[in-house]
């Protein structure tokens, strides 16, 4: 799998037997996390190429570092235009400073927006240029801020393609177990297991913020298309419960079984453990 096949379309070079359908979802299973990153980046790159003024939903986390690195390469080598693109990130810690390297604004600037030369006009709020991350600087306005974020997504025309990771507990964005199907952008307490999983990005576990602002499950379900990326054995159970058991609020990602256009890209470590028929 190489970036050279981008010109022929992102499914080029993927063997037919690594593509499976589970309900409405299409699974693409690739041998290594590196190949997962290339195919995920190609899918994002194809979206940008087809709709340079489109609306892309973005995610953070360890899983996305490599796909973004490849996407930056693709944007540069294929001269893809990003200045008219609007992006909305799924979530951000609360409270946090944008200067904190563990903040998702900082992550996005570092891994994608600055190296791929997205126009960024820092505004110390959610919107920098046409990139949005739900970073809320002042405590009093959180609810208004969340409503405004939701309205901004709708005003931009809605998300065309939403990139998602998945938590070990089955969360998408920071929609933790028990999140309601009709939830929209809001402030949420973080699950202790999520704070523990994300402690690796902070100097001490206590520094992990207790809350986050996240798009809701209903916000995510409103996107036209979803691309979920997962690699490594730690995500086996989350993927299994999300797509191979009846949907339940205890596994927020399982709501994606009701979405009509979902692609899941996984590595073999996960794929081999899944009960494909
Ligand atoms: P990770 O996070 O990529 O760091 O595992 C994914 C998530 O929690 O959604």
């Amino acid at each position: 799998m190489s970036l050279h096949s981008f010109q022929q379309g992102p499914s080029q070079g993927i063997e037919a037997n690594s593509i499976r359908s589970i309900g409405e979802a299409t699974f693409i299973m690739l041998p290594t996390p590196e190949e997962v990153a290339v195919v995920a980046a190609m899918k994002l790159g194809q979206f940008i190429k087809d709709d340079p003024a489109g609306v892309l939903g973005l995610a953070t986390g360890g899983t996305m570092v490599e796909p973004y690195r490849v996407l930056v390469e693709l944007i540069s080598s294929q001269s893809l235009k990003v200045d008219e693109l609007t992006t909305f990130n799924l979530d951000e810690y609360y409270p946090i400073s944008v200067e904190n390297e563990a903040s998702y604004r900082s992550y996005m600037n570092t891994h994608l927006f600055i190296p791929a030369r997205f126009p960024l006009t820092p505004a110390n709020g959610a919107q920098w240029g046409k990139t949005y991350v739900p970073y809320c600087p002042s405590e009093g306005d959180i609810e208004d801020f969340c409503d405004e974020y939701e309205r901004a997504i709708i005003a931009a025309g809605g998300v065309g393609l939403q990139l998602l990771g998945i938590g070990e507990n089955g969360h998408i964005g920071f929609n933790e177990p028990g999140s309601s199907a009709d939830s929209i952008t809001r402030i949420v307490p973080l699950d202790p297991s999520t704070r523990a999983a994300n402690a690796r990005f902070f100097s001490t576990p206590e520094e992990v913020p207790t809350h986050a602002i996240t798009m809701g499950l209903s916000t995510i379900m409103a996107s036209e298309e979803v691309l979920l990326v997962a690699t490594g054995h730690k995500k086996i159970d989350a993927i299994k419960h999300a797509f191979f058991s009846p949907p339940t609020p205890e596994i927020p990602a399982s709501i994606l079984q009701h979405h009509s256009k979902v692609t899941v890209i996984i590595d073999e470590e996960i794929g081999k453990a899944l009960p494909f028929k």
Side-chain angles (χ1 to χ4, degrees):
M1 188 68 49
S2 88
L3 283 184
H4 297 302
S5 46
F6 181 72
Q7 292 294 6
Q8 290 116 48
S11 350
Q12 221 17 257
I14 299 174
E15 286 173 34
N17 65 2
S18 53
I19 303 179
R20 308 286 176 93
S21 291
I22 298 298
E24 296 288 314
T26 302
F27 273 67
I28 301 176
M29 183 169 88
L30 297 159
T32 64
E34 290 71 26
E35 284 164 277
V36 166
V38 169
V39 174
M42 284 198 200
K43 196 144 167 61
L44 295 167
Q46 191 67 44
F47 178 87
I48 298 171
K49 188 175 176 193
D50 292 345
D51 193 2
V55 181
L56 192 53
L58 295 174
T60 52
T63 312
M64 301 307 166
V65 170
E66 187 62 11
Y68 286 149
R69 192 191 62 72
V70 180
L71 180 60
V72 168
E73 219 178 293
L74 202 55
I75 288 170
S76 155
S77 66
Q78 304 294 318
S79 305
L80 300 179
K81 277 177 63 65
V82 294
D83 34 329
E84 291 303 317
L85 198 67
T86 301
T87 66
F88 286 93
N89 264 78
L90 283 168
D91 47 18
E92 176 62 283
Y93 292 109
Y94 185 87
I96 198 153
S97 151
V98 270
E99 275 86 45
N100 188 328
E101 279 175 22
S103 75
Y104 289 164
R105 166 52 75 182
S106 177
Y107 173 108
M108 290 309 301
N109 286 355
T110 303
H111 293 290
L112 180 64
F113 298 149
I114 292 173
R117 300 168 187 267
F118 279 65
L120 295 176
T121 317
N124 193 33
Q127 183 185 3
W128 294 29
K130 285 173 170 273
T131 73
Y132 292 75
V133 176
Y135 167 71
C136 175
S138 68
E139 186 156 3
D141 303 322
I142 303 178
E143 281 185 18
D144 282 355
F145 173 90
C146 293
D147 290 348
E148 184 47 45
Y149 199 76
E150 195 73 26
R151 274 198 298 274
I153 297 172
I154 294 163
V159 171
L161 175 65
Q162 177 65 58
L163 178 64
L164 295 179
I166 186 169
E168 289 167 44
N169 64 359
H171 75 202
I172 45 176
F174 276 130
N175 293 286
E176 300 287 29
S179 294
S180 136
D182 57 14
S183 53
I184 58 172
T185 303
R186 68 205 185 287
I187 182 155
V188 292
L190 291 182
D191 205 71
S193 68
T194 297
R195 292 188 72 221
N198 289 8
R200 66 194 197 275
F201 300 114
F202 292 82
S203 335
T204 63
E206 296 72 41
E207 259 184 51
V208 184
T210 52
H211 288 72
I213 292 172
T214 183
M215 282 187 196
L217 292 178
S218 159
T219 323
I220 293 169
M221 290 296 282
S223 56
E224 271 172 49
E225 185 174 357
V226 169
L227 173 62
L228 190 148
V229 181
T231 54
H233 68 277
K234 286 185 177 172
K235 302 294 172 68
I236 291 172
D237 284 348
I239 294 285
K240 220 187 251 179
H241 290 132
F243 293 96
F244 295 82
S245 302
T248 160
E250 285 319 300
I251 304 291
S254 65
I255 197 169
L256 297 172
Q257 291 183 37
H258 298 301
H259 196 291
S260 60
K261 208 168 178 196
V262 177
T263 303
V264 182
I265 308 183
I266 49 171
D267 62 359
E268 258 178 25
E269 203 170 357
I270 299 178
K272 288 210 161 126
L274 297 179
F276 289 117
K277 295 235 167 60

